[in-house]
Amino acid sequence: MADSEAKHVVFASSGSNERGEEAASLPVPEATGGASGFGEASPDLLRNTPSNIARLEDVIEQCEGRRKYLKQTRSPSDGGDVRWYFCKVPLADDELAASVPRTDIVGKGDYFRFGRRDSLAIEASFLQREDELLFYWWKEYAECSEGPTGHPSSSKKLDQQPNASSPKGPQSVELYEEEEEERVGVPVKGGLYEVDLVRRHCFPVYWNGENRRVLRGHWFARKGGLDWLPLREDVAEQLEVAYRSQIWHRRTFQPSGLFAARVDLQGSTPGLHALFLGEDDTWEAWLNMDPSGFSSVIPLGGNGVKLRRGYSKSDSSKPTQDELRQQKEEEMDDYCSQVYAVTV
């Protein structure tokens, strides 16, 4: 593609990926509309404006599935703000989204939040198809799970068999071989990208590019800093089940001396568990691990990692470096949507 025929938009504003390479600009052809279902959406509706945000908030509030995610207590740790994220490091060819991240808390700087309008649009689409999408997601997650012997799960309950000859385990091409229809997703980033909620991919619309993992942030952790980082969906779901059962009502004295309710979590860290303390209006939760376990995320002998339900901004009066990078990413999204609205 000639330089005169392309623009360059940075997908991840700054930082290096896991391979030690600087985040590179992605070539973006001039938008002409009509690709992958994007022609169905008006360019003006893709802009991050107060009116578009308010419209999508109304759509979400009308969704029946939204009710269970609303704040149900008056605890400062409780909230109902769900946010969607994308990984700045692309997935490998045929790598399943459920296989990453490999830590229970996403790495600092590894994921960016979608802009407010885009996040609301993704959540609205998710709630309208929640049962179907969760079926596919947990099916994929089961394919990526490891059994007690450390090998990929056979997932017999789902009538799926992993490819034993593949060192990477089950791959996207195997799990979705019956779904080869044209990909149509939720338009984001001014219509230059779409989000495939079945596979939890973010992919470019007008040129061939790599898929990036999309993550739904519902429960968050604050570890060694000021920013709240999303937990992987499987860990968040276990915490949500405990929350809805009001597990803090069943507190007992723990070996540490704390009067708390313990929830053992199935995750990537051995001995991972959450402790719920307090009463209805004052409950709080901490993520911790047994001393026999090992984790690069949770320090041994520490007080654990503070948890909260629903997204919240940092308590710092000044934006952190991660938040500044996030703001630059959203400014780029706004610019893309404005440019596209002019060119169509």
Side-chain angles (χ1 to χ4, degrees):
M1 178 183 297
D3 291 342
S4 61
E5 296 177 349
K7 294 180 180 178
H8 287 80
V9 175
V10 178
F11 195 106
S13 301
S14 62
S16 302
N17 61 26
E18 293 178 354
R19 301 182 181 91
E21 302 167 347
E22 290 297 319
S25 297
L26 298 177
V28 181
E30 294 287 344
T32 58
S36 298
F38 175 63
E40 300 174 1
S42 165
D44 288 337
L45 296 179
L46 300 177
R47 301 177 68 173
N48 193 41
T49 62
S51 60
N52 284 337
I53 290 174
R55 179 182 59 83
L56 287 167
E57 287 176 338
D58 289 340
V59 171
I60 289 176
E61 291 305 318
Q62 298 301 318
C63 294
E64 183 177 353
R66 168 62 178 159
R67 298 175 187 174
K68 60 179 175 289
Y69 297 114
L70 294 175
K71 181 176 180 178
Q72 298 175 21
T73 72
R74 289 184 288 179
S75 169
S77 299
D78 200 353
D81 191 357
V82 175
R83 294 296 181 95
W84 287 82
Y85 294 73
F86 65 89
C87 185
K88 68 180 185 182
V89 178
L91 291 166
D93 291 343
D94 295 327
E95 182 179 19
L96 292 172
S99 66
V100 293
R102 293 176 174 83
T103 56
D104 302 302
I105 307 172
V106 304
K108 190 173 183 179
D110 291 345
Y111 282 71
F112 282 100
R113 290 193 314 273
F114 281 98
R116 185 62 176 148
R117 191 225 72 94
D118 288 351
S119 190
L120 288 169
I122 299 170
E123 180 67 6
S125 183
F126 172 82
L127 291 175
Q128 290 166 357
R129 304 170 54 200
E130 183 174 8
D131 290 343
E132 172 196 359
L133 293 171
L134 288 178
F135 168 80
Y136 283 114
W137 175 247
W138 293 119
K139 182 177 181 179
E140 178 176 316
Y141 178 75
E143 288 295 329
C144 298
S145 299
E146 293 187 355
T149 59
H151 297 291
S153 168
S154 61
S155 304
K156 294 180 180 179
K157 294 181 180 179
L158 298 171
D159 296 323
Q160 291 285 339
Q161 295 293 333
N163 184 356
S165 63
S166 172
K168 297 181 181 179
Q171 298 181 351
S172 176
V173 67
E174 301 166 0
L175 190 60
Y176 296 102
E177 60 185 358
E178 296 179 358
E179 301 172 24
E180 295 299 332
E181 299 179 1
E182 181 183 2
R183 300 173 75 183
V184 177
V186 182
V188 295
K189 294 183 171 292
L192 297 177
Y193 291 80
E194 289 186 357
V195 169
D196 179 346
L197 282 172
V198 173
R199 304 190 189 193
R200 302 212 178 186
H201 287 174
C202 185
F203 61 95
V205 174
Y206 298 103
W207 69 99
N208 291 326
E210 298 164 309
N211 294 308
R212 295 172 189 265
R213 161 76 151 102
V214 170
L215 182 144
R216 185 174 187 259
H218 184 208
W219 280 79
F220 297 80
R222 186 167 60 193
K223 53 165 188 171
L226 300 172
D227 295 311
W228 290 98
L229 303 175
L231 294 171
R232 213 174 53 213
E233 292 98 333
D234 58 309
V235 177
E237 179 64 19
Q238 295 173 72
L239 291 171
E240 182 68 8
V241 170
Y243 166 85
R244 292 180 189 171
S245 68
Q246 298 187 342
I247 190 69
W248 53 86
H249 286 164
R250 300 194 290 274
R251 300 187 304 280
T252 59
F253 282 105
Q254 302 296 317
S256 62
L258 286 175
F259 189 52
R262 172 171 169 145
V263 180
D264 291 312
L265 302 170
Q266 298 297 318
S268 62
T269 305
L272 188 70
H273 62 275
L275 294 176
F276 282 78
L277 299 81
E279 304 290 343
D280 285 351
D281 294 337
T282 60
W283 71 265
E284 58 183 35
W286 298 81
L287 192 66
N288 216 323
M289 59 176 289
D290 291 329
S292 59
F294 174 81
S295 172
S296 61
V297 174
I298 306 173
L300 291 173
N303 294 323
V305 176
K306 184 70 179 293
L307 297 173
R308 69 164 288 111
R309 180 179 184 264
Y311 172 76
S312 178
K313 293 183 178 179
S314 167
D315 296 331
S316 174
S317 58
K318 295 182 179 180
T320 63
Q321 289 299 315
D322 279 351
E323 187 60 31
L324 289 174
R325 286 193 290 267
Q326 175 66 42
Q327 291 175 8
K328 290 181 180 179
E329 183 71 23
E330 293 186 10
E331 289 172 1
M332 182 61 71
D333 291 349
D334 291 343
Y335 172 77
C336 291
S337 64
Q338 292 170 8
V339 170
Y340 183 82
V342 172
T343 58
V344 295

